[in-house]
Amino acid sequence: MPLIPRALCLALMLAASGHAMAEEPSSGELRAQAKAIRDDAERAFKVTTYHCYDKFLVNACLDEAKLDRLKQVKVARALEAKASTMDRRKRVKAMEARLRKTEASGDTAPDGTQ
């Protein structure tokens, strides 16, 4: 059984204790965690595939290595999706604040309407 990279363990622990944390990690921190998981997944995949060629059932070993990498990449994708959602919410809030400010001042909207 391949070793689980440290970044994956960290991400799983953070996800499990996420509701207990007072403050969510920022989208930048989530993206950094996702990058670390992806990097560890690629590194582990290269090492595992290298050692697969020493085994009798090479293709089975390679298939398992690919599945392990895919599992880790899915965790990274989930973190990236959460970061994108956070960024999107932040942009929407900023846009709504600009709109309220424009409406409050009585100015015309950027598209020329009132």
mmCIF file with all atom_site columns, all heavy atoms in Angstrom, residues 1-3 44-45 48-49 52 55 57-72:
data_model
loop_
_atom_site.group_PDB
_atom_site.id
_atom_site.type_symbol
_atom_site.label_atom_id
_atom_site.label_alt_id
_atom_site.label_comp_id
_atom_site.label_asym_id
_atom_site.label_entity_id
_atom_site.label_seq_id
_atom_site.pdbx_PDB_ins_code
_atom_site.Cartn_x
_atom_site.Cartn_y
_atom_site.Cartn_z
_atom_site.occupancy
_atom_site.B_iso_or_equiv
_atom_site.pdbx_formal_charge
_atom_site.auth_seq_id
_atom_site.auth_comp_id
_atom_site.auth_asym_id
_atom_site.auth_atom_id
_atom_site.pdbx_PDB_model_num
ATOM 1   N N   . MET A 1 1  ? 0.850  -1.186  0.000   1.00 0.00 ? 1  MET A N   1
ATOM 2   C CA  . MET A 1 1  ? 0.000  0.000   0.000   1.00 0.00 ? 1  MET A CA  1
ATOM 3   C C   . MET A 1 1  ? 0.887  1.236   0.000   1.00 0.00 ? 1  MET A C   1
ATOM 4   O O   . MET A 1 1  ? 1.791  1.355   0.819   1.00 0.00 ? 1  MET A O   1
ATOM 5   C CB  . MET A 1 1  ? -0.895 -0.017  1.230   1.00 0.00 ? 1  MET A CB  1
ATOM 6   C CG  . MET A 1 1  ? -1.761 1.183   1.342   1.00 0.00 ? 1  MET A CG  1
ATOM 7   S SD  . MET A 1 1  ? -3.217 0.769   2.301   1.00 0.00 ? 1  MET A SD  1
ATOM 8   C CE  . MET A 1 1  ? -4.025 2.301   2.233   1.00 0.00 ? 1  MET A CE  1
ATOM 9   N N   . PRO A 1 2  ? 0.632  2.184   -0.917  1.00 0.00 ? 2  PRO A N   1
ATOM 10  C CA  . PRO A 1 2  ? 1.456  3.378   -0.995  1.00 0.00 ? 2  PRO A CA  1
ATOM 11  C C   . PRO A 1 2  ? 1.285  4.258   0.236   1.00 0.00 ? 2  PRO A C   1
ATOM 12  O O   . PRO A 1 2  ? 0.260  4.230   0.902   1.00 0.00 ? 2  PRO A O   1
ATOM 13  C CB  . PRO A 1 2  ? 0.961  4.101   -2.232  1.00 0.00 ? 2  PRO A CB  1
ATOM 14  C CG  . PRO A 1 2  ? -0.010 3.210   -2.887  1.00 0.00 ? 2  PRO A CG  1
ATOM 15  C CD  . PRO A 1 2  ? -0.337 2.103   -1.957  1.00 0.00 ? 2  PRO A CD  1
ATOM 16  N N   . LEU A 1 3  ? 2.304  5.041   0.491   1.00 0.00 ? 3  LEU A N   1
ATOM 17  C CA  . LEU A 1 3  ? 2.260  5.970   1.621   1.00 0.00 ? 3  LEU A CA  1
ATOM 18  C C   . LEU A 1 3  ? 1.358  7.141   1.293   1.00 0.00 ? 3  LEU A C   1
ATOM 19  O O   . LEU A 1 3  ? 1.308  7.618   0.174   1.00 0.00 ? 3  LEU A O   1
ATOM 20  C CB  . LEU A 1 3  ? 3.668  6.493   1.918   1.00 0.00 ? 3  LEU A CB  1
ATOM 21  C CG  . LEU A 1 3  ? 4.689  5.445   2.332   1.00 0.00 ? 3  LEU A CG  1
ATOM 22  C CD1 . LEU A 1 3  ? 6.053  6.101   2.459   1.00 0.00 ? 3  LEU A CD1 1
ATOM 23  C CD2 . LEU A 1 3  ? 4.291  4.829   3.647   1.00 0.00 ? 3  LEU A CD2 1
ATOM 24  N N   . ALA A 1 44 ? 4.686  11.025  -5.364  1.00 0.00 ? 44 ALA A N   1
ATOM 25  C CA  . ALA A 1 44 ? 4.413  9.643   -4.945  1.00 0.00 ? 44 ALA A CA  1
ATOM 26  C C   . ALA A 1 44 ? 4.129  8.762   -6.157  1.00 0.00 ? 44 ALA A C   1
ATOM 27  O O   . ALA A 1 44 ? 4.555  7.604   -6.197  1.00 0.00 ? 44 ALA A O   1
ATOM 28  C CB  . ALA A 1 44 ? 3.229  9.614   -3.982  1.00 0.00 ? 44 ALA A CB  1
ATOM 29  N N   . PHE A 1 45 ? 3.443  9.309   -7.156  1.00 0.00 ? 45 PHE A N   1
ATOM 30  C CA  . PHE A 1 45 ? 3.141  8.548   -8.363  1.00 0.00 ? 45 PHE A CA  1
ATOM 31  C C   . PHE A 1 45 ? 4.426  8.155   -9.093  1.00 0.00 ? 45 PHE A C   1
ATOM 32  O O   . PHE A 1 45 ? 4.581  7.006   -9.525  1.00 0.00 ? 45 PHE A O   1
ATOM 33  C CB  . PHE A 1 45 ? 2.229  9.363   -9.280  1.00 0.00 ? 45 PHE A CB  1
ATOM 34  C CG  . PHE A 1 45 ? 1.899  8.678   -10.571 1.00 0.00 ? 45 PHE A CG  1
ATOM 35  C CD1 . PHE A 1 45 ? 1.048  7.586   -10.599 1.00 0.00 ? 45 PHE A CD1 1
ATOM 36  C CD2 . PHE A 1 45 ? 2.437  9.126   -11.762 1.00 0.00 ? 45 PHE A CD2 1
ATOM 37  C CE1 . PHE A 1 45 ? 0.741  6.945   -11.785 1.00 0.00 ? 45 PHE A CE1 1
ATOM 38  C CE2 . PHE A 1 45 ? 2.136  8.499   -12.955 1.00 0.00 ? 45 PHE A CE2 1
ATOM 39  C CZ  . PHE A 1 45 ? 1.291  7.407   -12.969 1.00 0.00 ? 45 PHE A CZ  1
ATOM 40  N N   . THR A 1 48 ? 6.214  5.460   -7.033  1.00 0.00 ? 48 THR A N   1
ATOM 41  C CA  . THR A 1 48 ? 5.478  4.193   -7.065  1.00 0.00 ? 48 THR A CA  1
ATOM 42  C C   . THR A 1 48 ? 5.612  3.525   -8.425  1.00 0.00 ? 48 THR A C   1
ATOM 43  O O   . THR A 1 48 ? 5.857  2.322   -8.507  1.00 0.00 ? 48 THR A O   1
ATOM 44  C CB  . THR A 1 48 ? 3.993  4.421   -6.729  1.00 0.00 ? 48 THR A CB  1
ATOM 45  O OG1 . THR A 1 48 ? 3.907  5.057   -5.458  1.00 0.00 ? 48 THR A OG1 1
ATOM 46  C CG2 . THR A 1 48 ? 3.241  3.104   -6.670  1.00 0.00 ? 48 THR A CG2 1
ATOM 47  N N   . THR A 1 49 ? 5.455  4.308   -9.494  1.00 0.00 ? 49 THR A N   1
ATOM 48  C CA  . THR A 1 49 ? 5.551  3.712   -10.829 1.00 0.00 ? 49 THR A CA  1
ATOM 49  C C   . THR A 1 49 ? 6.956  3.194   -11.096 1.00 0.00 ? 49 THR A C   1
ATOM 50  O O   . THR A 1 49 ? 7.121  2.160   -11.757 1.00 0.00 ? 49 THR A O   1
ATOM 51  C CB  . THR A 1 49 ? 5.145  4.701   -11.937 1.00 0.00 ? 49 THR A CB  1
ATOM 52  O OG1 . THR A 1 49 ? 5.923  5.881   -11.831 1.00 0.00 ? 49 THR A OG1 1
ATOM 53  C CG2 . THR A 1 49 ? 3.669  5.015   -11.870 1.00 0.00 ? 49 THR A CG2 1
ATOM 54  N N   . CYS A 1 52 ? 7.073  -0.094  -9.533  1.00 0.00 ? 52 CYS A N   1
ATOM 55  C CA  . CYS A 1 52 ? 6.165  -1.069  -10.141 1.00 0.00 ? 52 CYS A CA  1
ATOM 56  C C   . CYS A 1 52 ? 6.883  -1.963  -11.140 1.00 0.00 ? 52 CYS A C   1
ATOM 57  O O   . CYS A 1 52 ? 6.515  -3.130  -11.314 1.00 0.00 ? 52 CYS A O   1
ATOM 58  C CB  . CYS A 1 52 ? 5.007  -0.363  -10.846 1.00 0.00 ? 52 CYS A CB  1
ATOM 59  S SG  . CYS A 1 52 ? 3.733  0.251   -9.730  1.00 0.00 ? 52 CYS A SG  1
ATOM 60  N N   . LYS A 1 55 ? 8.104  -5.342  -10.047 1.00 0.00 ? 55 LYS A N   1
ATOM 61  C CA  . LYS A 1 55 ? 7.123  -6.343  -9.631  1.00 0.00 ? 55 LYS A CA  1
ATOM 62  C C   . LYS A 1 55 ? 6.704  -7.217  -10.804 1.00 0.00 ? 55 LYS A C   1
ATOM 63  O O   . LYS A 1 55 ? 6.867  -6.860  -11.978 1.00 0.00 ? 55 LYS A O   1
ATOM 64  C CB  . LYS A 1 55 ? 5.896  -5.660  -9.023  1.00 0.00 ? 55 LYS A CB  1
ATOM 65  C CG  . LYS A 1 55 ? 6.219  -4.893  -7.757  1.00 0.00 ? 55 LYS A CG  1
ATOM 66  C CD  . LYS A 1 55 ? 5.000  -4.295  -7.147  1.00 0.00 ? 55 LYS A CD  1
ATOM 67  C CE  . LYS A 1 55 ? 5.382  -3.579  -5.856  1.00 0.00 ? 55 LYS A CE  1
ATOM 68  N NZ  . LYS A 1 55 ? 4.225  -3.074  -5.163  1.00 0.00 ? 55 LYS A NZ  1
ATOM 69  N N   . LEU A 1 57 ? 3.472  -8.211  -11.448 1.00 0.00 ? 57 LEU A N   1
ATOM 70  C CA  . LEU A 1 57 ? 2.226  -7.671  -12.011 1.00 0.00 ? 57 LEU A CA  1
ATOM 71  C C   . LEU A 1 57 ? 2.367  -6.156  -12.202 1.00 0.00 ? 57 LEU A C   1
ATOM 72  O O   . LEU A 1 57 ? 1.801  -5.348  -11.464 1.00 0.00 ? 57 LEU A O   1
ATOM 73  C CB  . LEU A 1 57 ? 1.043  -7.990  -11.106 1.00 0.00 ? 57 LEU A CB  1
ATOM 74  C CG  . LEU A 1 57 ? 0.773  -9.478  -10.888 1.00 0.00 ? 57 LEU A CG  1
ATOM 75  C CD1 . LEU A 1 57 ? -0.304 -9.677  -9.836  1.00 0.00 ? 57 LEU A CD1 1
ATOM 76  C CD2 . LEU A 1 57 ? 0.357  -10.125 -12.196 1.00 0.00 ? 57 LEU A CD2 1
ATOM 77  N N   . VAL A 1 58 ? 3.122  -5.781  -13.216 1.00 0.00 ? 58 VAL A N   1
ATOM 78  C CA  . VAL A 1 58 ? 3.441  -4.373  -13.441 1.00 0.00 ? 58 VAL A CA  1
ATOM 79  C C   . VAL A 1 58 ? 2.182  -3.553  -13.708 1.00 0.00 ? 58 VAL A C   1
ATOM 80  O O   . VAL A 1 58 ? 1.980  -2.498  -13.106 1.00 0.00 ? 58 VAL A O   1
ATOM 81  C CB  . VAL A 1 58 ? 4.438  -4.226  -14.620 1.00 0.00 ? 58 VAL A CB  1
ATOM 82  C CG1 . VAL A 1 58 ? 4.688  -2.757  -14.934 1.00 0.00 ? 58 VAL A CG1 1
ATOM 83  C CG2 . VAL A 1 58 ? 5.736  -4.933  -14.302 1.00 0.00 ? 58 VAL A CG2 1
ATOM 84  N N   . ASN A 1 59 ? 1.328  -4.029  -14.603 1.00 0.00 ? 59 ASN A N   1
ATOM 85  C CA  . ASN A 1 59 ? 0.147  -3.241  -14.968 1.00 0.00 ? 59 ASN A CA  1
ATOM 86  C C   . ASN A 1 59 ? -0.809 -3.048  -13.798 1.00 0.00 ? 59 ASN A C   1
ATOM 87  O O   . ASN A 1 59 ? -1.398 -1.975  -13.636 1.00 0.00 ? 59 ASN A O   1
ATOM 88  C CB  . ASN A 1 59 ? -0.580 -3.893  -16.144 1.00 0.00 ? 59 ASN A CB  1
ATOM 89  C CG  . ASN A 1 59 ? 0.185  -3.717  -17.438 1.00 0.00 ? 59 ASN A CG  1
ATOM 90  O OD1 . ASN A 1 59 ? 0.977  -2.797  -17.569 1.00 0.00 ? 59 ASN A OD1 1
ATOM 91  N ND2 . ASN A 1 59 ? -0.044 -4.604  -18.396 1.00 0.00 ? 59 ASN A ND2 1
ATOM 92  N N   . ALA A 1 60 ? -0.980 -4.062  -12.986 1.00 0.00 ? 60 ALA A N   1
ATOM 93  C CA  . ALA A 1 60 ? -1.845 -3.926  -11.810 1.00 0.00 ? 60 ALA A CA  1
ATOM 94  C C   . ALA A 1 60 ? -1.277 -2.889  -10.853 1.00 0.00 ? 60 ALA A C   1
ATOM 95  O O   . ALA A 1 60 ? -2.019 -2.066  -10.296 1.00 0.00 ? 60 ALA A O   1
ATOM 96  C CB  . ALA A 1 60 ? -2.006 -5.266  -11.107 1.00 0.00 ? 60 ALA A CB  1
ATOM 97  N N   . CYS A 1 61 ? 0.026  -2.907  -10.690 1.00 0.00 ? 61 CYS A N   1
ATOM 98  C CA  . CYS A 1 61 ? 0.681  -1.930  -9.817  1.00 0.00 ? 61 CYS A CA  1
ATOM 99  C C   . CYS A 1 61 ? 0.523  -0.520  -10.379 1.00 0.00 ? 61 CYS A C   1
ATOM 100 O O   . CYS A 1 61 ? 0.221  0.421   -9.639  1.00 0.00 ? 61 CYS A O   1
ATOM 101 C CB  . CYS A 1 61 ? 2.161  -2.290  -9.663  1.00 0.00 ? 61 CYS A CB  1
ATOM 102 S SG  . CYS A 1 61 ? 3.088  -1.175  -8.608  1.00 0.00 ? 61 CYS A SG  1
ATOM 103 N N   . LEU A 1 62 ? 0.699  -0.362  -11.691 1.00 0.00 ? 62 LEU A N   1
ATOM 104 C CA  . LEU A 1 62 ? 0.540  0.951   -12.324 1.00 0.00 ? 62 LEU A CA  1
ATOM 105 C C   . LEU A 1 62 ? -0.894 1.454   -12.206 1.00 0.00 ? 62 LEU A C   1
ATOM 106 O O   . LEU A 1 62 ? -1.118 2.644   -11.949 1.00 0.00 ? 62 LEU A O   1
ATOM 107 C CB  . LEU A 1 62 ? 0.960  0.891   -13.793 1.00 0.00 ? 62 LEU A CB  1
ATOM 108 C CG  . LEU A 1 62 ? 2.449  0.674   -14.061 1.00 0.00 ? 62 LEU A CG  1
ATOM 109 C CD1 . LEU A 1 62 ? 2.686  0.480   -15.552 1.00 0.00 ? 62 LEU A CD1 1
ATOM 110 C CD2 . LEU A 1 62 ? 3.275  1.819   -13.519 1.00 0.00 ? 62 LEU A CD2 1
ATOM 111 N N   . ASP A 1 63 ? -1.852 0.558   -12.381 1.00 0.00 ? 63 ASP A N   1
ATOM 112 C CA  . ASP A 1 63 ? -3.260 0.940   -12.239 1.00 0.00 ? 63 ASP A CA  1
ATOM 113 C C   . ASP A 1 63 ? -3.554 1.420   -10.825 1.00 0.00 ? 63 ASP A C   1
ATOM 114 O O   . ASP A 1 63 ? -4.268 2.415   -10.628 1.00 0.00 ? 63 ASP A O   1
ATOM 115 C CB  . ASP A 1 63 ? -4.175 -0.231  -12.593 1.00 0.00 ? 63 ASP A CB  1
ATOM 116 C CG  . ASP A 1 63 ? -4.171 -0.555  -14.082 1.00 0.00 ? 63 ASP A CG  1
ATOM 117 O OD1 . ASP A 1 63 ? -3.732 0.310   -14.879 1.00 0.00 ? 63 ASP A OD1 1
ATOM 118 O OD2 . ASP A 1 63 ? -4.610 -1.661  -14.430 1.00 0.00 ? 63 ASP A OD2 1
ATOM 119 N N   . GLU A 1 64 ? -3.020 0.728   -9.840  1.00 0.00 ? 64 GLU A N   1
ATOM 120 C CA  . GLU A 1 64 ? -3.238 1.128   -8.447  1.00 0.00 ? 64 GLU A CA  1
ATOM 121 C C   . GLU A 1 64 ? -2.584 2.480   -8.167  1.00 0.00 ? 64 GLU A C   1
ATOM 122 O O   . GLU A 1 64 ? -3.160 3.324   -7.474  1.00 0.00 ? 64 GLU A O   1
ATOM 123 C CB  . GLU A 1 64 ? -2.670 0.065   -7.498  1.00 0.00 ? 64 GLU A CB  1
ATOM 124 C CG  . GLU A 1 64 ? -2.972 0.358   -6.052  1.00 0.00 ? 64 GLU A CG  1
ATOM 125 C CD  . GLU A 1 64 ? -2.474 -0.741  -5.117  1.00 0.00 ? 64 GLU A CD  1
ATOM 126 O OE1 . GLU A 1 64 ? -2.350 -1.895  -5.547  1.00 0.00 ? 64 GLU A OE1 1
ATOM 127 O OE2 . GLU A 1 64 ? -2.212 -0.406  -3.946  1.00 0.00 ? 64 GLU A OE2 1
ATOM 128 N N   . ALA A 1 65 ? -1.400 2.692   -8.734  1.00 0.00 ? 65 ALA A N   1
ATOM 129 C CA  . ALA A 1 65 ? -0.717 3.975   -8.548  1.00 0.00 ? 65 ALA A CA  1
ATOM 130 C C   . ALA A 1 65 ? -1.537 5.109   -9.162  1.00 0.00 ? 65 ALA A C   1
ATOM 131 O O   . ALA A 1 65 ? -1.648 6.193   -8.583  1.00 0.00 ? 65 ALA A O   1
ATOM 132 C CB  . ALA A 1 65 ? 0.678  3.924   -9.173  1.00 0.00 ? 65 ALA A CB  1
ATOM 133 N N   . LYS A 1 66 ? -2.137 4.854   -10.325 1.00 0.00 ? 66 LYS A N   1
ATOM 134 C CA  . LYS A 1 66 ? -2.960 5.876   -10.972 1.00 0.00 ? 66 LYS A CA  1
ATOM 135 C C   . LYS A 1 66 ? -4.197 6.189   -10.136 1.00 0.00 ? 66 LYS A C   1
ATOM 136 O O   . LYS A 1 66 ? -4.594 7.347   -10.010 1.00 0.00 ? 66 LYS A O   1
ATOM 137 C CB  . LYS A 1 66 ? -3.381 5.406   -12.366 1.00 0.00 ? 66 LYS A CB  1
ATOM 138 C CG  . LYS A 1 66 ? -2.248 5.392   -13.364 1.00 0.00 ? 66 LYS A CG  1
ATOM 139 C CD  . LYS A 1 66 ? -2.698 4.828   -14.698 1.00 0.00 ? 66 LYS A CD  1
ATOM 140 C CE  . LYS A 1 66 ? -1.531 4.642   -15.638 1.00 0.00 ? 66 LYS A CE  1
ATOM 141 N NZ  . LYS A 1 66 ? -1.931 4.002   -16.907 1.00 0.00 ? 66 LYS A NZ  1
ATOM 142 N N   . LEU A 1 67 ? -4.806 5.150   -9.572  1.00 0.00 ? 67 LEU A N   1
ATOM 143 C CA  . LEU A 1 67 ? -5.986 5.365   -8.734  1.00 0.00 ? 67 LEU A CA  1
ATOM 144 C C   . LEU A 1 67 ? -5.639 6.162   -7.478  1.00 0.00 ? 67 LEU A C   1
ATOM 145 O O   . LEU A 1 67 ? -6.403 7.041   -7.062  1.00 0.00 ? 67 LEU A O   1
ATOM 146 C CB  . LEU A 1 67 ? -6.628 4.037   -8.354  1.00 0.00 ? 67 LEU A CB  1
ATOM 147 C CG  . LEU A 1 67 ? -7.391 3.318   -9.465  1.00 0.00 ? 67 LEU A CG  1
ATOM 148 C CD1 . LEU A 1 67 ? -7.857 1.945   -8.986  1.00 0.00 ? 67 LEU A CD1 1
ATOM 149 C CD2 . LEU A 1 67 ? -8.568 4.150   -9.921  1.00 0.00 ? 67 LEU A CD2 1
ATOM 150 N N   . ASP A 1 68 ? -4.500 5.836   -6.871  1.00 0.00 ? 68 ASP A N   1
ATOM 151 C CA  . ASP A 1 68 ? -4.073 6.575   -5.679  1.00 0.00 ? 68 ASP A CA  1
ATOM 152 C C   . ASP A 1 68 ? -3.849 8.048   -6.011  1.00 0.00 ? 68 ASP A C   1
ATOM 153 O O   . ASP A 1 68 ? -4.257 8.936   -5.256  1.00 0.00 ? 68 ASP A O   1
ATOM 154 C CB  . ASP A 1 68 ? -2.800 5.966   -5.090  1.00 0.00 ? 68 ASP A CB  1
ATOM 155 C CG  . ASP A 1 68 ? -3.036 4.630   -4.442  1.00 0.00 ? 68 ASP A CG  1
ATOM 156 O OD1 . ASP A 1 68 ? -4.199 4.322   -4.099  1.00 0.00 ? 68 ASP A OD1 1
ATOM 157 O OD2 . ASP A 1 68 ? -2.060 3.864   -4.275  1.00 0.00 ? 68 ASP A OD2 1
ATOM 158 N N   . ARG A 1 69 ? -3.199 8.296   -7.152  1.00 0.00 ? 69 ARG A N   1
ATOM 159 C CA  . ARG A 1 69 ? -2.960 9.688   -7.557  1.00 0.00 ? 69 ARG A CA  1
ATOM 160 C C   . ARG A 1 69 ? -4.288 10.387  -7.811  1.00 0.00 ? 69 ARG A C   1
ATOM 161 O O   . ARG A 1 69 ? -4.487 11.534  -7.406  1.00 0.00 ? 69 ARG A O   1
ATOM 162 C CB  . ARG A 1 69 ? -2.085 9.738   -8.802  1.00 0.00 ? 69 ARG A CB  1
ATOM 163 C CG  . ARG A 1 69 ? -1.844 11.167  -9.280  1.00 0.00 ? 69 ARG A CG  1
ATOM 164 C CD  . ARG A 1 69 ? -0.987 11.243  -10.489 1.00 0.00 ? 69 ARG A CD  1
ATOM 165 N NE  . ARG A 1 69 ? -1.610 10.541  -11.597 1.00 0.00 ? 69 ARG A NE  1
ATOM 166 C CZ  . ARG A 1 69 ? -1.151 10.532  -12.826 1.00 0.00 ? 69 ARG A CZ  1
ATOM 167 N NH1 . ARG A 1 69 ? -0.047 11.176  -13.118 1.00 0.00 ? 69 ARG A NH1 1
ATOM 168 N NH2 . ARG A 1 69 ? -1.773 9.864   -13.773 1.00 0.00 ? 69 ARG A NH2 1
ATOM 169 N N   . LEU A 1 70 ? -5.229 9.705   -8.457  1.00 0.00 ? 70 LEU A N   1
ATOM 170 C CA  . LEU A 1 70 ? -6.528 10.291  -8.751  1.00 0.00 ? 70 LEU A CA  1
ATOM 171 C C   . LEU A 1 70 ? -7.281 10.663  -7.472  1.00 0.00 ? 70 LEU A C   1
ATOM 172 O O   . LEU A 1 70 ? -7.901 11.724  -7.386  1.00 0.00 ? 70 LEU A O   1
ATOM 173 C CB  . LEU A 1 70 ? -7.371 9.339   -9.598  1.00 0.00 ? 70 LEU A CB  1
ATOM 174 C CG  . LEU A 1 70 ? -8.742 9.839   -10.016 1.00 0.00 ? 70 LEU A CG  1
ATOM 175 C CD1 . LEU A 1 70 ? -8.631 11.118  -10.849 1.00 0.00 ? 70 LEU A CD1 1
ATOM 176 C CD2 . LEU A 1 70 ? -9.480 8.765   -10.784 1.00 0.00 ? 70 LEU A CD2 1
ATOM 177 N N   . LYS A 1 71 ? -7.204 9.806   -6.461  1.00 0.00 ? 71 LYS A N   1
ATOM 178 C CA  . LYS A 1 71 ? -7.859 10.108  -5.181  1.00 0.00 ? 71 LYS A CA  1
ATOM 179 C C   . LYS A 1 71 ? -7.299 11.391  -4.584  1.00 0.00 ? 71 LYS A C   1
ATOM 180 O O   . LYS A 1 71 ? -8.043 12.238  -4.071  1.00 0.00 ? 71 LYS A O   1
ATOM 181 C CB  . LYS A 1 71 ? -7.662 8.955   -4.200  1.00 0.00 ? 71 LYS A CB  1
ATOM 182 C CG  . LYS A 1 71 ? -8.472 7.729   -4.523  1.00 0.00 ? 71 LYS A CG  1
ATOM 183 C CD  . LYS A 1 71 ? -8.168 6.621   -3.540  1.00 0.00 ? 71 LYS A CD  1
ATOM 184 C CE  . LYS A 1 71 ? -8.822 5.310   -3.963  1.00 0.00 ? 71 LYS A CE  1
ATOM 185 N NZ  . LYS A 1 71 ? -8.430 4.205   -3.076  1.00 0.00 ? 71 LYS A NZ  1
ATOM 186 N N   . GLN A 1 72 ? -5.985 11.534  -4.637  1.00 0.00 ? 72 GLN A N   1
ATOM 187 C CA  . GLN A 1 72 ? -5.351 12.730  -4.075  1.00 0.00 ? 72 GLN A CA  1
ATOM 188 C C   . GLN A 1 72 ? -5.697 13.972  -4.895  1.00 0.00 ? 72 GLN A C   1
ATOM 189 O O   . GLN A 1 72 ? -5.937 15.052  -4.333  1.00 0.00 ? 72 GLN A O   1
ATOM 190 C CB  . GLN A 1 72 ? -3.846 12.538  -4.001  1.00 0.00 ? 72 GLN A CB  1
ATOM 191 C CG  . GLN A 1 72 ? -3.449 11.450  -3.020  1.00 0.00 ? 72 GLN A CG  1
ATOM 192 C CD  . GLN A 1 72 ? -1.975 11.122  -3.085  1.00 0.00 ? 72 GLN A CD  1
ATOM 193 O OE1 . GLN A 1 72 ? -1.201 11.809  -3.738  1.00 0.00 ? 72 GLN A OE1 1
ATOM 194 N NE2 . GLN A 1 72 ? -1.587 10.058  -2.405  1.00 0.00 ? 72 GLN A NE2 1
#
